Amino acid sequence: QVRLVESGGGLVQDGDSLRLSCAASGLTFGFSSYAMGWFRQAPGKEREFVAAVSWTGVSTNYADFVKGRFTISRDNAKNTVYLQMHRLPPEDTAVYYCAADPDPSIATRPSDYDYWGQGTQVSVSS
């Protein structure tokens, strides 16, 4: 079965950094044949795109509100995608989800992704 397991979330102070990880297993075509994305959802709000990375890791896409602060990367040998987050404000508080898309493009719509993790909580205190 496909499993995407996020880790690295937690409670941090305003301005702190976190690195989220997503370990994948059971993907039909192998990890390197999936674009990987990060999304987030705060209570009472819609799920929103954060960042995505292509199969090889050379192409990335970021939401405007995280450009310059977040970096997405992947290690295909480890079947893992990362989200390095810097200068976190309280507004970044949300559950962060990892997702996999069996397509060479890097999509920003949740409907384009076939598989999802259960999420990891990121809480930023003021």
Side-chain angles (χ1 to χ4, degrees):
Q1 296 86 13
V2 175
R3 290 187 66 204
L4 302 178
V5 181
E6 302 96 337
S7 62
L11 175 62
V12 297
Q13 299 259 48
D14 189 356
D16 281 356
S17 298
L18 280 174
R19 189 177 76 155
L20 306 184
S21 298
C22 173
S25 63
L27 291 168
T28 302
F29 307 116
F31 181 74
S32 62
S33 294
Y34 292 80
M36 301 297 297
W38 286 97
F39 294 78
R40 71 185 189 186
Q41 189 166 21
K45 294 181 170 57
E46 65 185 14
R47 186 170 298 184
E48 62 182 349
F49 171 76
V50 176
V53 61
S54 63
W55 290 0
T56 63
V58 299
S59 297
T60 58
N61 193 15
Y62 295 94
D64 288 341
F65 58 83
V66 302
K67 287 182 178 178
R69 297 193 299 115
F70 289 10
T71 301
I72 187 171
S73 62
R74 67 191 297 162
D75 187 339
N76 286 347
K78 296 181 178 179
N79 296 339
T80 302
V81 62
Y82 305 94
L83 185 68
Q84 180 66 58
M85 306 184 292
H86 294 295
R87 299 184 297 281
L88 290 164
E91 291 76 19
D92 283 338
T93 295
V95 176
Y96 284 71
Y97 296 92
C98 173
D101 174 22
D103 191 277
S105 63
I106 45 176
T108 61
R109 299 176 300 179
S111 60
D112 289 326
Y113 289 80
D114 287 6
Y115 303 104
W116 294 83
Q118 293 183 328
T120 185
Q121 177 71 48
V122 172
S123 298
V124 186
S125 63
S126 59

